[in-house]
Amino acid sequence: MSQPRELLVYPGSPKTGTSALQATLRCNVAQLKAAGWNYLHDPVEGDPHSVGSGNSLRLSAALSGISDGDPLAEFEIIAPAGERSIIAGETLSKMGAEEWFPIIELLEAEGGTIRSVYCVRDLYPFYWSAHNQVVSVFRQAEEFSAGWMAARARSRNTPVGGLIDRYALPLPDAPCVTSQTLLHYETIKENLLEEMILAGGLPLESFDLSQMSSVKRPINRSLTQPEMALMLKINSEVDEFRAQWSGLTLTQRPSPRPVRPVWVPDAYQWLVDNAQPTLDEFNALLPPGTDWRVQILDRSKYELEEVDPHPERSPEFADAIYHLLSFDPSEDYREFLISLLPGGVYDPPPPPGRLRRVAS
């Protein structure tokens, strides 16, 4: 008789290092297998550029009814019977407890177990990062404001919709659910991957974290304020395809300087006023004495930047432009970007260690 199935789930939520974790798992499939763990992939993961997308896309689509796939058939592919398997992906953070029941019932029937490691972060930087991604990837040119947050906080019909609603434990209360571990992003971010690996009970010594340097897919970094200003300008002046190309180009590159949330007082006040009901629902799932509450943000904790009403006047804005131009795009793409610049030419000295690329 085979051993009961054991499942470890990393369900998200967005903007908490999930892409980096999933890329790390993908780069260490052989090491995990040698340590007794599966990290199996559906066909979507055949593309090296989706290495940070996790392995739950088809499963979560079937469980939530988005696709016509059989949820249990998809589950068997990435979590074979009698084995220990890891499932990871942001899409799992969208699923309610009821959508987990097919898997829960299967595990209960065969004596299997499931546990999760869930990372959450403070609301203000969480929303700043989410807005950042909307501008860079989804081509929306709106300014970051309380109105933007209110419009998207509970709407699941937007690219990052329903984000506040994802601040909840994704697994139902069932005997086979042996543990649900919560990690605080701001507390562990300096050693994020190591902490998430250890929290899952995985053997850290089996991971080769150096392999991450060879991953071509970007690890979904946030844009700096000058880069954000550049994207807003591009989004307002060009077609959607090229605007999206620009955003993805920027996020593929290392950040030219540390990324810090921008301080928007009305947006922060909106969070303070509106987040508590959701946190109350979240707290109801936690043991007594461990609840979270809305507190006044210690700005020094985040080194928040003030919003610059004229970012194009700052040296960093010019650096952001060069940061994008020196990616070596195709000629027509380069000409399109140059057309956005005053005078049509920008050819500054190259940063240290980078070869000059002629922009005109």
Side-chain angles (χ1 to χ4, degrees):
M1 182 176 179
S2 63
Q3 294 293 318
R5 190 173 346 217
E6 183 179 344
L7 189 64
L8 169 61
V9 180
Y10 286 103
S13 57
K15 314 311 299 177
T16 58
T18 51
S19 294
L21 173 68
Q22 289 149 196
T24 299
L25 294 171
R26 181 66 182 90
C27 289
N28 287 272
V29 169
Q31 293 89 330
L32 284 165
K33 187 65 175 177
W37 286 92
N38 295 314
Y39 185 63
L40 304 176
H41 297 80
D42 58 41
V44 174
E45 279 294 307
D47 179 0
H49 294 285
S50 68
V51 70
S53 300
N55 65 344
S56 67
L57 296 176
R58 292 169 62 97
L59 173 63
S60 57
L63 287 169
S64 59
I66 295 176
S67 74
D68 296 329
D70 179 352
L72 294 183
E74 299 292 351
F75 179 65
E76 294 289 348
I77 293 173
I78 57 177
E83 299 190 25
R84 297 193 298 175
S85 302
I86 303 167
I87 299 180
E90 284 184 10
T91 52
L92 296 173
S93 68
K94 298 180 181 180
M95 293 170 42
E98 69 283 354
E99 293 169 310
W100 281 98
F101 278 127
I103 291 178
I104 297 297
E105 290 176 352
L106 174 63
L107 293 175
E108 293 283 353
E110 66 182 25
T113 60
I114 180 173
R115 53 197 173 88
S116 69
V117 176
Y118 196 76
C119 194
V120 296
R121 65 185 299 183
D122 291 353
L123 280 174
Y124 186 86
F126 176 71
Y127 260 89
W128 170 252
S129 184
H131 167 264
N132 193 321
Q133 181 166 334
V134 168
V135 172
S136 65
V137 177
F138 297 105
R139 309 177 301 281
Q140 299 191 27
E142 298 151 296
E143 296 291 342
F144 184 69
S145 66
W148 178 89
M149 300 163 79
R152 283 158 181 75
R154 296 188 179 278
S155 171
R156 294 183 181 274
N157 297 319
T158 58
V160 290
L163 285 174
I164 281 186
D165 288 340
R166 297 194 198 181
Y167 262 65
L169 294 175
L171 298 181
D173 184 14
C176 67
V177 180
T178 58
S179 70
Q180 301 193 76
T181 302
L182 285 171
L183 300 175
H184 182 224
Y185 177 87
E186 276 74 23
T187 301
I188 67 170
K189 64 181 180 180
E190 297 301 325
N191 299 290
L192 183 68
L193 292 175
E194 292 88 342
E195 293 284 355
M196 295 183 79
I197 290 168
L198 291 172
L202 300 175
L204 182 60
E205 66 276 6
S206 297
F207 282 80
D208 180 5
L209 298 181
S210 66
Q211 289 195 41
M212 286 290 292
S213 61
S214 65
V215 175
K216 294 182 180 179
R217 184 194 184 279
I219 308 303
N220 204 16
R221 76 163 176 87
S222 294
L223 300 183
T224 64
Q225 184 185 341
E227 288 174 328
M228 180 71 72
L230 176 61
M231 279 309 307
L232 289 171
K233 181 175 176 62
I234 291 173
N235 286 340
S236 67
E237 297 190 14
V238 304
D239 62 88
E240 289 189 353
F241 173 74
R242 293 195 174 192
Q244 183 183 37
W245 191 3
S246 304
L248 294 177
T249 295
L250 279 175
T251 58
Q252 288 184 48
R253 303 179 61 86
S255 174
R257 61 192 179 94
V259 179
R260 299 189 296 271
V262 169
W263 179 245
V264 184
D266 63 333
Y268 175 65
Q269 187 58 49
W270 181 89
L271 277 176
V272 172
D273 295 340
N274 291 273
Q276 192 61 60
T278 298
L279 293 182
D280 289 340
E281 298 173 7
F282 177 71
N283 290 335
L285 302 170
L286 298 177
T290 59
D291 57 322
W292 292 13
R293 295 182 176 87
V294 172
Q295 298 178 351
I296 301 301
L297 183 68
D298 178 5
R299 292 181 58 191
S300 64
K301 176 180 179 182
Y302 299 102
E303 299 181 342
L304 297 171
E305 296 182 79
E306 298 293 340
V307 174
D308 181 357
H310 303 289
E312 67 277 5
R313 300 177 185 174
S314 70
E316 292 84 359
F317 186 72
D319 290 343
I321 294 174
Y322 184 66
H323 191 60
L324 180 58
L325 284 174
S326 60
F327 186 70
D328 194 21
S330 62
E331 290 303 318
D332 59 335
Y333 182 41
R334 179 176 298 170
E335 291 170 2
F336 135 74
L337 289 172
I338 292 172
S339 70
L340 296 177
L341 306 178
V345 176
Y346 184 67
D347 189 22
R354 184 185 302 167
L355 295 177
R356 176 188 295 271
R357 297 189 192 280
V358 178
S360 60

